Amino acid sequence: MDKKIYLSESEMPAHWYNIIADMPNKPLPPLHPGTKQPVGPEDLAPLFPMELIKQEVSTERYHEIPDQVREIYKLWRPTPLVRATALEKALDTPAKIYFKYEGTSPSGSHKPNTAVAQAYYNKQEGVRKITTETGAGQWGTALSFACQQFGIECDVYMVRISYDQKPYRKMIMKTFGANIFASPSRNTNAGRAILEADPHSNGSLGIAISEAIEMAAQHDDTKYSLGSVLNHVLMHQTIIGQECIKQLEMTGDFPDVIVAPLGGGSNFAGISFPFLRYNFAEGKKIRCVAVEPASCPKLTRGVFKYDFGDTAGYTPLLPMYTLGHNFMPDAIHAGGLRYHGASVLCSQLLKDGLIEAVAAQQLECFEAGLLFSKTEGILPAPEATHAIYQVIEEARRCKREGKSETILFNLCGHGFFDLQAYEDYFAGKLMNHHMSDAQLHTNLAELEALQPA
Amino acid sequence: MDKKIYLSESEMPAHWYNIIADMPNKPLPPLHPGTKQPVGPEDLAPLFPMELIKQEVSTERYHEIPDQVREIYKLWRPTPLVRATALEKALDTPAKIYFKYEGTSPSGSHKPNTAVAQAYYNKQEGVRKITTETGAGQWGTALSFACQQFGIECDVYMVRISYDQKPYRKMIMKTFGANIFASPSRNTNAGRAILEADPHSNGSLGIAISEAIEMAAQHDDTKYSLGSVLNHVLMHQTIIGQECIKQLEMTGDFPDVIVAPLGGGSNFAGISFPFLRYNFAEGKKIRCVAVEPASCPKLTRGVFKYDFGDTAGYTPLLPMYTLGHNFMPDAIHAGGLRYHGASVLCSQLLKDGLIEAVAAQQLECFEAGLLFSKTEGILPAPEATHAIYQVIEEARRCKREGKSETILFNLCGHGFFDLQAYEDYFAGKLMNHHMSDAQLHTNLAELEALQPA
């Protein structure tokens, strides 16, 4: 059997999988923060094209991937599934380790899977410009690429500290033709208010979301796009797992454990949701493990409550595991995981005991990432190192227990734009982070007023 | 037919191709600069392991790739051959354009094809440390990776200006465990002499080669490794073209034109030499076009003479197209193409009219690179944009002439570590460069004393 398992382009899945169709407990509805009543399509129409709003609330099990989206996917999809034989050997484990490598995309991560779909539906409905936020830059890069494919203008609000510290991310977005603004910016009321209070604000993902939403809401030909959290975003990512199913069939193996990092949830959903269907429909018992950073532990230390998706409170209230929308995570290098909440779908699944969650410390994650690079020859993005950390833990457990389990994980992106993170690690500048109970208590107390009666 | 054409790992070629076996005029021998007599294996033994010295002078047509090298190749090989359908459409050309994508390797370029082979043979002969030079950083990255795979220490002398301007390259070499020294350094006589004359020297590839050679020559357990120019290096790269032959067979197409950038020659040789065998053995007439930067035009404006491979004059004299070993190219961003000479094999083929050469300006190359990124979704390395520039020229010619030719080129690497180059391009900081006839005349006059009687 080859180490790298490819599908032909004609074998690329024709549908995204919508897990809502199979969930035992359906997700609770998003609420209007004023009325505490469920929001309707009309509430979301200023921000999103109607087709994406329909997908957000759909209960259909499969959605057909439009031809034009499939054609663009073919620039890099299907992506390889790889047997991590060199890592297995280094760990001397009886476990079989497979990884799905999403780093071959134009932006170097899994993010274009939904960016291309979203740009397509916006184009269909005559949208001229899309606004978005980006933290570490992976999402902004993906949307810049997708918008360029469809001739849509793209404005990216990039968290100020990343704008300053990650110049390569800014540059690659420019090569894809996007306009990049450091957030908080003077373009928006939300940005100006923050700058008035603190002219040197580092920004945050929550603030950047507020700015991008405000710009979209104020212009008829402009919509907003989010790179994770929402149901339709997670659904677009399921092409990852759908491909894995076909690829693993070729090997004769079937996963016992699936591991992915969790920031908003789209990476984790992308690889695990199509496999969870085996648990729901066929009684299989695949363990799906979400890995979050110990510095932003919404799944392992947060609460399941209604909360805003952004800092300024522009979004509907979402029922999710959260650390509170005012939570400001420490400046760790896995920027894509520094979000206060988890998607509604992942949250409901965790609440129902259908998936697992663990928290990992960044020093251990970088160490795991370097072992992976040394063995498999791919330097992983800091976000992806969280999955690798947990995979190594599982592989060591398999060795202790003498079990030959099959472990599958999502190598969601390469670390070529994140080398400063490794440099800081080598220089001893990074530390592990813990959120104090006192900080958690303060953040969560603010949530009480947001809950419905 | 799929856009991306893969080979299975079992279809990976088992041999490298040695073009010397088929060349109508064999290359002239390298000469000892003192005696002007051909150098023997004993002259090279302090620098290279014996197996590589044997390969350097071999006339065998095929050399078997060792199993251990093949196993490491499988981390990323066989690499995809891609039909550039989106670029074809944008150019509205009747030509079929294919590219071999070597950017999926651990270092993001074709360089590990020889780095892994060289590290293997050094390991076989008990070498503990390998020294090398790097300009833009692609070669240093590849050798760092390869040495790590075999547990060999790696010292990289990196041209000072790149060391300062390309921090991401320095960082990725560190993730592969290498030691990086800015060149000129105080480690060597060659470096100290330069620094004494100019404490702020930017360095050059020629100086860095001198430093790496000096360190290897002075230590028994240390050898030296070169990333291009030498016969064995070019041979290791022929796996690129060998794979292409199999992949193109699957499409039913056969190349009319093959295009690759030429710095030292290994990239160009890698893709074109296996196809040139069709010209030699079967009378085919494939045009093989080497593209060099107009700022470093050894093929189009240099002379075919004996010259040193480095600045300090530590190497044997090589019969090649050269601008003179004291030629200091302008600071263009395609650092991998800033070398004063061309490999002996490429030089002999050009002299005999068996290959073609053109020079390209960097602004046109960056423009071509951005069109490629916009259409095919891969941001190319500055070196690779030179090939793309010429491919677009050929495709436009095909349109004018109404010809449906098949064009194949080597996309030798991605530009993710070279984003500063694109940033400078956008900022209008780059210019085109021309070498003056006066400068050329001065450089070439110095060569007369080096020629054999």
Side-chain angles (χ1 to χ4, degrees):
Chain A
M1 194 72 207
D2 276 7
K3 178 178 174 65
K4 304 179 294 299
I5 299 139
Y6 293 103
L7 295 176
S8 69
E9 287 158 24
S10 57
E11 291 171 304
M12 190 165 74
H15 296 83
W16 295 303
Y17 169 61
N18 178 12
I19 199 171
I20 295 176
D22 290 315
M23 285 169 75
N25 292 320
K26 303 303 174 196
L28 300 175
L31 301 182
H32 190 286
T35 65
K36 306 273 169 80
Q37 294 300 308
V39 296
E42 67 285 358
D43 294 308
L44 299 171
L47 296 185
F48 301 105
M50 198 46 67
E51 177 58 28
L52 291 176
I53 295 172
K54 283 186 196 159
Q55 290 182 6
E56 188 66 16
V57 297
S58 165
T59 55
E60 290 289 317
R61 183 168 289 121
Y62 291 104
H63 283 248
E64 193 173 348
I65 305 174
D67 283 347
Q68 230 183 317
V69 173
R70 280 171 60 85
E71 280 310 303
I72 296 173
Y73 277 177
K74 286 178 188 171
L75 290 177
W76 74 98
R77 303 208 72 86
T79 60
L81 179 74
V82 187
R83 174 88 183 264
T85 40
L87 178 62
E88 288 172 17
K89 198 172 157 195
L91 297 172
D92 187 27
T93 177
K96 294 177 181 177
I97 302 173
Y98 288 93
F99 63 91
K100 181 72 165 167
Y101 185 39
E102 290 288 308
T104 60
S105 83
S107 70
S109 80
H110 64 298
K111 293 287 187 186
N113 296 331
T114 184
V116 171
Q118 291 189 49
Y120 168 79
Y121 292 117
N122 274 283
K123 185 72 179 180
Q124 292 295 103
E125 299 184 25
V127 172
R128 198 186 58 79
K129 183 195 275 192
I130 300 179
T131 64
T132 199
E133 71 289 334
T134 200
Q138 294 194 352
W139 169 242
T141 311
L143 192 68
S144 302
F145 160 74
C147 283
Q148 187 181 55
Q149 288 287 312
F150 290 102
I152 299 173
E153 203 179 331
C154 184
D155 282 4
V156 179
Y157 288 82
M158 185 172 189
V159 176
R160 162 61 78 179
I161 192 162
S162 295
Y163 185 92
D164 292 338
Q165 291 183 349
K166 306 208 164 183
Y168 273 49
R169 275 287 173 192
K170 193 168 52 190
M171 292 175 199
I172 186 145
M173 287 188 263
K174 278 169 77 175
T175 69
F176 288 133
N179 310 307
I180 326 292
F181 303 100
S183 168
S185 78
R186 301 215 160 271
N187 296 359
T188 65
N189 291 327
R192 284 186 293 266
I194 299 277
L195 287 174
E196 204 150 304
D198 176 8
H200 303 292
S201 167
N202 278 334
S204 74
L205 208 51
I207 296 168
I209 294 175
S210 300
E211 291 207 275
I213 288 180
E214 184 179 323
M215 291 305 282
Q218 286 178 352
H219 298 89
D220 278 349
D221 59 356
T222 303
K223 298 283 182 194
Y224 166 72
S225 172
L226 194 68
S228 187
V229 178
L230 299 179
N231 301 350
H232 67 270
V233 179
L234 272 59
M235 185 180 77
H236 298 153
Q237 292 293 354
T238 59
I239 189 160
I240 300 172
Q242 301 274 82
E243 285 182 3
C244 280
I245 288 174
K246 291 190 178 190
Q247 287 164 311
L248 276 176
E249 266 170 17
M250 293 162 68
T251 69
D253 289 320
F254 192 81
D256 297 290
V257 189
I258 297 175
V259 179
L262 192 141
S266 76
N267 176 340
F268 175 78
I271 194 161
S272 70
F273 282 10
F275 283 98
L276 278 171
R277 178 158 162 71
Y278 287 98
N279 289 4
F280 297 147
E282 298 182 20
K284 300 267 189 194
K285 293 187 188 306
I286 308 167
R287 291 174 52 219
C288 295
V289 184
V291 190
E292 63 183 4
S295 57
C296 192
K298 57 243 179 183
L299 299 177
T300 53
R301 295 179 68 197
V303 290
F304 184 85
K305 294 269 186 187
Y306 271 98
D307 195 4
F308 289 112
D310 69 327
T311 300
Y314 289 165
T315 72
L317 293 167
L318 300 171
M320 58 183 183
Y321 278 94
T322 178
L323 296 164
H325 62 274
N326 284 320
F327 173 72
M328 185 62 77
D330 285 334
I332 62 161
H333 266 295
L337 307 182
R338 295 177 68 237
Y339 183 68
H340 67 276
S343 74
V344 171
L345 297 179
C346 293
S347 293
Q348 186 66 47
L349 291 166
L350 181 64
K351 183 161 180 285
D352 292 341
L354 301 171
I355 61 172
E356 302 173 28
V358 297
Q361 288 286 3
Q362 73 172 349
L363 293 183
E364 284 78 353
C365 290
F366 276 106
E367 192 186 344
L370 285 166
L371 175 61
F372 188 79
S373 163
K374 184 173 182 169
T375 50
E376 296 294 327
I378 301 172
L379 190 77
E383 290 79 4
T385 63
H386 286 70
I388 297 167
Y389 164 80
Q390 183 61 22
V391 165
I392 293 173
E393 290 290 303
E394 299 283 348
R396 287 184 173 144
R397 174 187 57 73
C398 287
K399 187 178 177 185
R400 283 195 306 274
E401 299 176 356
K403 286 185 180 163
S404 175
E405 293 183 12
T406 295
I407 303 169
L408 169 66
F409 77 98
N410 198 17
L411 186 66
C412 56
H414 60 63
F416 301 155
F417 303 119
D418 306 289
L419 282 165
Q420 188 63 51
Y422 284 94
E423 182 77 358
D424 290 350
Y425 172 76
F426 286 128
K429 288 184 190 168
L430 301 188
M431 343 178 262
N432 284 336
H433 294 270
H434 282 288
M435 186 181 50
S436 72
D437 286 332
Q439 186 190 0
L440 183 62
H441 187 76
T442 309
N443 286 322
L444 296 184
E446 295 170 357
L447 290 179
E448 290 314 314
L450 302 178
Q451 306 313 305
Chain B
M1 194 71 207
D2 276 8
K3 177 179 175 64
K4 304 180 293 299
I5 299 137
Y6 294 103
L7 296 176
S8 70
E9 287 158 23
S10 56
E11 292 171 305
M12 190 164 77
H15 297 83
W16 296 301
Y17 169 62
N18 179 12
I19 199 170
I20 295 176
D22 291 315
M23 285 170 76
N25 292 320
K26 305 302 175 197
L28 301 175
L31 301 182
H32 189 287
T35 65
K36 304 275 170 76
Q37 294 301 306
V39 295
E42 67 287 358
D43 294 306
L44 299 171
L47 295 185
F48 301 105
M50 199 45 68
E51 177 58 29
L52 291 177
I53 294 171
K54 283 186 197 159
Q55 290 182 7
E56 188 65 16
V57 297
S58 165
T59 55
E60 290 290 314
R61 183 168 290 121
Y62 292 104
H63 283 248
E64 193 173 350
I65 305 174
D67 283 347
Q68 229 183 319
V69 173
R70 281 172 59 86
E71 280 310 303
I72 296 173
Y73 277 177
K74 286 180 188 171
L75 290 177
W76 75 97
R77 300 209 76 87
T79 60
L81 178 75
V82 187
R83 174 88 183 263
T85 40
L87 177 63
E88 287 173 18
K89 199 172 157 193
L91 296 172
D92 188 26
T93 177
K96 294 178 181 177
I97 303 174
Y98 289 92
F99 63 92
K100 181 72 166 166
Y101 185 38
E102 291 287 308
T104 60
S105 83
S107 70
S109 82
H110 63 296
K111 293 287 186 186
N113 296 331
T114 184
V116 171
Q118 292 189 49
Y120 168 81
Y121 292 116
N122 274 284
K123 184 72 181 182
Q124 292 296 104
E125 299 184 24
V127 172
R128 197 186 59 79
K129 184 195 277 195
I130 300 179
T131 64
T132 198
E133 70 290 334
T134 200
Q138 294 193 353
W139 169 243
T141 310
L143 192 67
S144 303
F145 159 74
C147 284
Q148 188 181 53
Q149 288 287 313
F150 290 101
I152 299 172
E153 204 178 331
C154 184
D155 283 3
V156 179
Y157 287 82
M158 185 173 191
V159 176
R160 162 62 77 180
I161 191 162
S162 296
Y163 185 91
D164 292 338
Q165 291 182 349
K166 306 206 164 184
Y168 273 48
R169 276 287 173 192
K170 192 169 51 188
M171 291 174 200
I172 186 144
M173 286 188 263
K174 278 170 77 175
T175 70
F176 289 132
N179 311 307
I180 327 293
F181 303 99
S183 166
S185 77
R186 301 214 160 271
N187 296 359
T188 65
N189 292 327
R192 285 186 293 266
I194 299 277
L195 287 174
E196 203 151 305
D198 175 9
H200 303 292
S201 166
N202 279 334
S204 74
L205 208 51
I207 296 168
I209 294 175
S210 299
E211 291 207 274
I213 288 179
E214 184 179 324
M215 291 305 282
Q218 287 179 351
H219 298 88
D220 278 349
D221 59 355
T222 302
K223 298 284 181 193
Y224 166 72
S225 172
L226 192 67
S228 188
V229 179
L230 298 180
N231 301 351
H232 66 271
V233 179
L234 273 58
M235 185 179 77
H236 298 154
Q237 292 295 353
T238 59
I239 189 161
I240 299 172
Q242 300 274 81
E243 285 182 3
C244 279
I245 287 173
K246 292 191 178 192
Q247 287 164 312
L248 276 175
E249 266 172 17
M250 293 162 68
T251 70
D253 288 320
F254 192 82
D256 297 290
V257 189
I258 297 174
V259 180
L262 193 143
S266 77
N267 177 340
F268 175 80
I271 194 160
S272 70
F273 281 10
F275 284 97
L276 278 171
R277 175 155 164 75
Y278 287 98
N279 289 4
F280 297 148
E282 298 182 20
K284 300 268 188 195
K285 294 188 188 304
I286 307 167
R287 292 175 51 221
C288 295
V289 185
V291 190
E292 64 183 4
S295 57
C296 192
K298 58 240 179 185
L299 299 177
T300 55
R301 296 178 67 196
V303 291
F304 184 88
K305 293 270 186 185
Y306 271 98
D307 195 5
F308 288 112
D310 70 328
T311 301
Y314 289 166
T315 73
L317 292 168
L318 300 171
M320 58 183 182
Y321 279 94
T322 178
L323 296 164
H325 62 276
N326 284 320
F327 173 73
M328 184 63 77
D330 285 335
I332 62 161
H333 266 295
L337 307 181
R338 294 175 71 237
Y339 184 68
H340 67 276
S343 72
V344 170
L345 297 178
C346 292
S347 294
Q348 186 66 46
L349 291 166
L350 182 65
K351 182 160 181 287
D352 291 342
L354 301 171
I355 62 172
E356 301 175 28
V358 297
Q361 288 286 3
Q362 73 170 347
L363 293 183
E364 286 77 356
C365 290
F366 276 107
E367 192 186 344
L370 285 166
L371 175 62
F372 188 79
S373 163
K374 186 174 182 168
T375 50
E376 296 294 327
I378 301 172
L379 191 76
E383 290 80 4
T385 64
H386 286 70
I388 297 168
Y389 164 81
Q390 182 62 21
V391 165
I392 293 173
E393 291 290 303
E394 300 284 348
R396 289 186 172 141
R397 175 187 57 73
C398 286
K399 187 179 177 185
R400 283 194 308 273
E401 298 176 357
K403 287 185 180 164
S404 174
E405 294 183 11
T406 295
I407 304 168
L408 168 67
F409 76 98
N410 198 18
L411 186 65
C412 54
H414 61 64
F416 301 156
F417 303 119
D418 307 288
L419 282 163
Q420 188 63 49
Y422 283 93
E423 182 78 358
D424 290 349
Y425 173 76
F426 285 129
K429 288 184 190 167
L430 302 188
M431 343 179 261
N432 285 334
H433 294 268
H434 282 288
M435 186 182 47
S436 73
D437 286 333
Q439 186 191 359
L440 183 61
H441 187 76
T442 309
N443 287 322
L444 297 184
E446 296 171 354
L447 291 178
E448 291 314 315
L450 303 178
Q451 306 313 304

